[in-house]
Amino acid sequence: MGNKIKKIIKCDMIGMTSNHKVYLSLIILMFFLHDNFEPLFKFAKEVGYRVTPYLLPFSFKQPFMKLVIFCSVLLIFSDAPFLTDFQVFMLSRSGKKCWYIAQMIYLALGSIMLTVFMAVFPVVINLSVIVFKSGWGKVIKTLASKQDFIQPISYGVVEHYQVDTVMVYTVAMCVLLFFFMGMVLFLCNTALKNKGIGVFIITALILIDWLNNIINANVGLLWLSPFSWVDISVMAYSREKWYPSAGYAVIFLTVVNVVLIAVTYLSLIHISEPTRRVVIS
């Protein structure tokens, strides 16, 4: 069983390297991540200090950046469960259980790799201005108090939270949200055989986050906007009991993902045979 799962995952990985949507999404992410952090590194060079590499949380400060990131992930996962002709053959040979487990592992690995890419890319392209040490560092702390020009550093994040707390939370939320997107698309493509429904659901949730930013973080809307939760600065601090907490966000998304995994598996075992109808090119 283990060898079958490994072979299916390997096929998925090979298929990913020939998927033009993946390359397009990565190019879009690289362009906007570079643009997002350019004011930070320009300021660092002007003052003569280096920047600590804990930049991932600040990829989500600007509403437009969140829109770009989540739409790029949507593009990558839009064809889940990636049923190519060879995958249909692997499904018939390995059985639904092995094939499904492999797809879940592949979605999880894809979510982790995307998160790592977003965390590492701005650091690698500006390595000469990076210093590896604990704490936020002088540049980030200084910019946190400067909100008179467009720059990615959030005062709420730097002022209220330690680096390790924010990094662990943001990485966990990115992986959970990306996996959630993949699972919603996977379920709609298999159970409903309609990619458009999954894309509509994810797009609606992304737009709720956009609306939440326009009306300045309405508390009621924040509870319904999981894509807003990736930014820890909008979540409940110790005294803000009416806002969803960081713990709530992680637990809620974990439970939802588990439910999606179970529901998708139950729907899959009732499909009598593989079909290409779930993929719309």
Side-chain angles (χ1 to χ4, degrees), residues 21-118:
K21 292 181 181 180
V22 174
Y23 292 107
L24 176 60
S25 298
L26 292 180
I27 290 171
I28 292 171
L29 284 174
M30 285 189 289
F31 176 81
F32 282 99
L33 285 170
H34 173 267
D35 184 69
N36 184 60
F37 289 108
E38 186 177 17
L40 167 65
F41 290 107
K42 182 179 179 181
F43 177 78
K45 291 173 182 177
E46 289 175 354
V47 297
Y49 286 99
R50 295 191 174 192
V51 181
T52 50
Y54 315 113
L55 302 178
L56 180 62
F58 307 116
S59 299
F60 300 95
K61 178 192 174 185
Q62 306 296 341
F64 184 72
M65 272 301 297
K66 282 196 282 187
L67 185 68
V68 168
I69 290 168
F70 289 125
C71 285
S72 297
V73 177
L74 174 60
L75 183 61
I76 291 174
F77 286 155
S78 61
D79 288 329
F82 315 104
L83 270 179
T84 61
D85 291 330
F86 189 71
Q87 278 292 346
V88 171
F89 170 75
M90 293 294 291
L91 171 56
S92 62
R93 291 292 300 271
S94 62
K96 292 178 182 177
K97 184 177 180 180
C98 282
W99 182 83
Y100 181 69
I101 293 173
Q103 297 306 310
M104 294 303 95
I105 295 174
Y106 173 66
L107 280 178
L109 288 174
S111 301
I112 293 169
M113 287 190 293
L114 279 170
T115 302
V116 171
F117 173 80
M118 288 178 52

Side-chain angles (χ1 to χ4, degrees), residues 46-269:
E46 289 175 354
V47 297
Y49 286 99
R50 295 191 174 192
V51 181
T52 50
Y54 315 113
L55 302 178
L56 180 62
F58 307 116
S59 299
F60 300 95
K61 178 192 174 185
Q62 306 296 341
F64 184 72
M65 272 301 297
K66 282 196 282 187
L67 185 68
V68 168
I69 290 168
F70 289 125
C71 285
S72 297
V73 177
L74 174 60
L75 183 61
I76 291 174
F77 286 155
S78 61
D79 288 329
F82 315 104
L83 270 179
T84 61
D85 291 330
F86 189 71
Q87 278 292 346
V88 171
F89 170 75
M90 293 294 291
L91 171 56
S92 62
R93 291 292 300 271
S94 62
K96 292 178 182 177
K97 184 177 180 180
C98 282
W99 182 83
Y100 181 69
I101 293 173
Q103 297 306 310
M104 294 303 95
I105 295 174
Y106 173 66
L107 280 178
L109 288 174
S111 301
I112 293 169
M113 287 190 293
L114 279 170
T115 302
V116 171
F117 173 80
M118 288 178 52
V120 170
F121 176 75
V123 175
V124 170
I125 64 172
N126 294 283
L127 205 55
S128 62
V129 200
I130 296 293
V131 58
F132 293 90
K133 66 177 185 178
S134 60
W136 290 117
K138 290 184 177 180
V139 174
I140 290 178
K141 284 184 177 179
T142 302
L143 277 182
S145 60
K146 288 181 176 291
Q147 301 299 318
D148 53 343
F149 66 98
I150 298 176
Q151 49 90 7
I153 306 304
S154 169
Y155 174 81
V157 171
V158 177
E159 177 67 18
H160 294 141
Y161 299 97
Q162 297 296 319
V163 170
D164 52 353
T165 301
V166 179
M167 286 299 295
V168 169
Y169 174 79
T170 307
V171 168
M173 287 300 296
C174 283
V175 173
L176 288 170
L177 283 168
F178 296 164
F179 186 80
F180 166 75
M181 295 173 71
M183 284 306 307
V184 170
L185 294 164
F186 193 113
L187 176 60
C188 292
N189 284 2
T190 52
L192 304 177
K193 299 181 177 65
N194 190 327
K195 182 173 73 172
I197 296 176
V199 172
F200 174 80
I201 292 171
I202 297 300
T203 303
L205 291 172
I206 294 173
L207 291 178
I208 288 175
D209 170 64
W210 182 268
L211 179 62
N212 185 54
N213 283 285
I214 291 176
I215 62 177
N216 197 22
N218 178 275
V219 179
L221 198 58
L222 186 60
W223 285 93
L224 304 174
S225 180
F227 290 117
S228 300
W229 303 344
V230 69
D231 181 4
I232 198 173
S233 68
V234 305
M235 305 303 284
Y237 195 50
S238 58
R239 61 186 177 276
E240 296 168 332
K241 62 181 180 179
W242 300 114
Y243 288 78
S245 67
Y248 165 84
V250 172
I251 293 172
F252 179 85
L253 280 173
T254 301
V255 171
V256 168
N257 282 336
V258 171
V259 171
L260 285 172
I261 290 171
V263 171
T264 305
Y265 178 72
L266 291 174
S267 68
L268 182 67
I269 62 177

